[in-house]
Structures are given as structure tokens and as C-alpha cells.
Amino acid sequence: MKLLPAALGLVLLLLLVLNPNGVEARPAPAVGHQKKASSATFFVFGDDFADNGNLPLTDPVTEMSRQWAYPYGSNYVDADGFPRPNTPSGRFSNYRIQSDFIATMLGLEEAPPAHARTAEKTCDPSGMTFATGGAGVLDSTLHEVSILAKQVDTFKKMVKDGTITENQLSRSVVLVAFFGNDYAGIGVIGLSSPNNINAYIGKVTKEIATNVDQLLKLGVTKVLVNNLHPIGCMPSHTRTNNYTTCDIFENLGATIHNDNLKKVMTSKNVYIVDVYTAFTNIVDHVAGKGSELSKQFKRKLSPCCESLDSKGYCGQQDESSSKLLYTVCDKSNKFFYWDDMHPTHAG
């Protein structure tokens, strides 16, 4: 296991790990659009921070399908660089998400297609996304969606039946991106004692390690595992104090999770992506410290898209769909968070 502690280190780690021969920036296409060839195949596991279409659209739109409706995707830009406003793509953001950015480092144009939206017995040359909004590592999450083990099991079946080829495995990079659904609704301080907190967090991190080991045994060559971001800085936690300070107890729980994760990730082909430090250097750093990028964001702890009801959600409308129950900022690039928990494209 290797760990780089700073936001700049995070970018450098990804560049070096994903493409040791160097990463070439994608030039602006001339006439028309051609897909850039990549030497890597990318597979994505995780939750709504990495989901690009596995949760289905519903009618009417609900909190679990809001990513398919305005204002999600409102800053979408097509492959030729032209703005295509109001183009929801199943991502919990106004445009791109973490897996998209890592994909570009691999020479791809965006994260690979969602498994749920791919024809059976097929796998795109770029790979596949198994991450599903609302998913957790354990069974105890709030929504009945594919947890990590089920996502890995689906991948395993596709390897065994030849849908995912040995050639794809030989040049594969995996991202495991879970951002805290296992702790939603309970909070580490909601558990009865420090022993219970440590035991529960230990179960989560051990389950991540178990599934990562399975992926490596199947032939995956490199695995990136996100540690837990400072969950106490999400707008869902900062709203109660008018978006002024992070919840230090929730962030303490995140650091316990991250310490556990470092201990259980022992393979030389596993790299921990230190999103905790990257987020903190922008949204919760000590005065005079932090990343230069922090200055870009005038609103670090408040959401661009805010529900009018503390129990509502971005994109929510009344029952007749005639009234919006949320507000959207004018300049999303000045906000680190898009909604009550997910970053903006700029974030």
C-alpha cells in the first residue's frame, strides 16, 4: 500500500500509477469527434460519487433518481467541447465526477459505461462502471442497491463467462470509490461506545480489503481505493450552523476509517487515493494553510443546489411538478459542493 498525503500528491500519484509512460492531454478535436485509443481498461466500483447511470430513471422523479433530471447535468459539455446545458447523465453532479477525471488520465474520454445500461454479455473496450448510487460496503445501508460484494460478484461472473477478456484484465485499472453510505443515518458518534465504533468501522474496511483481494486474484493489475473524505464538511452536516463549520466528530470518524484502511491494504498493487487530505485542503484547512485551489471556491461548505426543506433534495418539485422546491446558484465553479453531499464539476 502506498499513500501520498497532499492534493498535489493525489494528482501526481494518479498520473504515475495510471500511466507510467506519461499522460498526454487530450487535444481539442478538429472536425467531428473520434474516440482516443487507450492502453488501459477501467473498471469502477462504488456509490453515488462514482455512479454514471446504474440507478434508473423513475416517473415521477424521486430522491434516488434525481440525477436524471434538471438541474443535474446542467453544465454538461459534449465531446467536441460544445455546451449542452440540461443534459442529465445519471451522475450526481452538474457535469463530471471523479471517475470521469481518472478516465481522462487513462486516455479515455469519460468513465466507462454503466453496467445497467449495457447490453447483456457485452463490455465496452473502455471498461465498465458497477458503482451504484446509495450503495455501501455492508448490507446495513439505507437503500436496496448493489453493495460492494454484489458489484464484485457481477464483475467476477463477467470474467468467468469471457465477457471481460484476459486482455482487458491484463491492462486493467480499478477504482473503488465509497464515500460513507455505511455511516449515513447512524454517524459514528451515534454508536453506543468507542468499542462499537471501532468494531463497525473495522468491519467496513475489512470488507473493502476482502473485495479488493478478490479483484486482484481475478487478474486486475492496479487498484485505486479512495479513503473517506471529511464527511462532517458535507452541506448535509454544515446546514445546521449556516454552512460555517464542519462537524468535527463526523470527521474524527472518517479519520478512524482511514487509519483502518491503511492497515488492511497491504498489496503492492493497491494505492490509496487520499481524498480526505484533498478535500480538507480546500474546505476545512487551518487559516493560512490549505491548497491554492481553495481560493477558487467562494462557497466551500454550502451547496450550489439547495433544497428549501432540510429534509428535501436538490431537484425536488411539488406533487404537481409546478413548483421548484430548491434553488440553484449562478456560478457553480465558485462552489465546492453541488448538492447536500456531492462535489460540483469544479470541486
Side-chain angles (χ1 to χ4, degrees):
M1 182 279 296
K2 307 170 185 67
L3 178 68
L4 290 182
L8 177 59
L10 169 64
V11 175
L12 292 174
L13 179 147
L14 291 174
L15 290 175
L16 291 171
V17 171
L18 298 177
N19 190 349
N21 297 318
V23 176
E24 178 184 346
R26 179 167 67 92
V31 180
H33 168 62
Q34 293 182 338
K35 193 169 185 177
K36 181 181 176 181
S38 171
S39 61
T41 309
F42 191 29
F43 297 102
V44 182
F45 302 83
D47 57 21
D48 31 302
F49 275 70
D51 185 357
N52 63 351
N54 279 310
L55 274 184
L57 172 64
T58 60
D59 186 16
V61 170
T62 66
E63 185 173 7
M64 289 293 285
S65 65
R66 66 192 188 276
Q67 68 280 8
W68 289 106
Y70 183 85
Y72 289 85
S74 53
N75 293 97
Y76 183 83
V77 177
D78 70 14
D80 290 317
F82 296 108
R84 296 285 187 268
N86 191 16
T87 310
S89 61
R91 291 165 171 80
F92 288 81
S93 181
N94 56 318
Y95 181 20
R96 288 191 168 186
I97 54 180
Q98 182 201 19
S99 51
D100 291 310
F101 290 107
I102 294 179
T104 61
M105 295 178 184
L106 290 166
L108 305 171
E109 294 182 353
E110 61 182 10
H115 171 260
R117 301 176 65 78
T118 304
E120 193 174 350
K121 300 293 184 181
T122 63
C123 180
D124 192 82
S126 66
M128 184 165 285
T129 296
F130 299 91
T132 306
V137 175
L138 303 177
D139 278 313
S140 57
T141 46
L142 300 176
H143 308 290
E144 293 184 4
V145 295
S146 293
I147 60 172
L148 176 58
K150 290 182 179 178
Q151 294 176 23
V152 172
D153 200 43
T154 301
F155 177 84
K156 187 187 304 181
K157 290 175 182 176
M158 295 179 71
V159 170
K160 288 185 175 181
D161 69 17
T163 303
I164 294 173
T165 66
E166 289 187 13
N167 181 47
Q168 287 178 308
L169 284 175
S170 69
R171 50 194 177 88
S172 57
V173 175
V174 161
L175 172 66
V176 178
F178 283 90
F179 281 82
N181 284 324
D182 290 277
Y183 306 118
I186 59 168
V188 291
I189 59 171
L191 296 170
S192 57
S193 71
N195 286 338
N196 285 347
I197 292 171
N198 287 325
Y200 181 74
I201 291 175
K203 284 179 64 178
V204 174
T205 53
K206 183 179 179 181
E207 182 68 7
I208 294 173
T210 297
N211 282 279
V212 166
D213 285 343
Q214 287 191 48
L215 290 168
L216 291 168
K217 288 176 181 177
L218 287 167
V220 167
T221 59
K222 294 184 179 72
V223 182
L224 308 176
V225 181
N226 283 348
N227 67 8
L228 197 58
H229 65 117
I231 53 180
C233 295
M234 295 188 299
S236 58
H237 286 93
T238 61
R239 181 168 182 156
T240 54
N241 58 49
N242 199 30
Y243 306 119
T244 55
T245 57
C246 300
D247 186 322
I248 59 173
F249 293 105
E250 293 292 342
N251 286 353
L252 175 61
T255 60
I256 296 172
H257 171 101
N258 296 341
D259 288 342
N260 270 266
L261 193 66
K262 281 199 292 185
K263 292 174 183 176
V264 298
M265 290 298 166
T266 56
S267 171
K268 66 178 181 179
N269 292 324
V270 177
Y271 302 81
I272 291 182
V273 182
D274 189 10
V275 292
Y276 186 93
T277 299
F279 274 52
T280 299
N281 280 345
I282 292 177
V283 301
D284 192 34
H285 55 80
V286 178
K289 302 291 184 178
S291 167
E292 279 295 307
L293 292 172
S294 182
K295 298 174 183 177
Q296 172 184 333
F297 300 98
K298 303 301 181 185
R299 298 287 186 271
K300 298 179 177 68
L301 300 177
S302 55
C304 172
C305 182
E306 181 178 13
S307 170
L308 300 179
D309 181 353
S310 61
K311 295 181 179 180
Y313 56 89
C314 170
Q316 186 175 12
Q317 300 183 25
D318 64 5
E319 292 183 1
S320 64
S321 299
S322 61
K323 183 179 179 181
L324 303 182
L325 302 180
Y326 64 92
T327 59
V328 184
C329 68
D330 291 329
K331 296 180 179 179
S332 61
N333 64 324
K334 299 298 182 183
F335 285 71
F336 183 81
Y337 287 102
W338 166 247
D339 56 17
D340 60 349
M341 62 183 66
H342 308 101
T344 58
H345 172 83

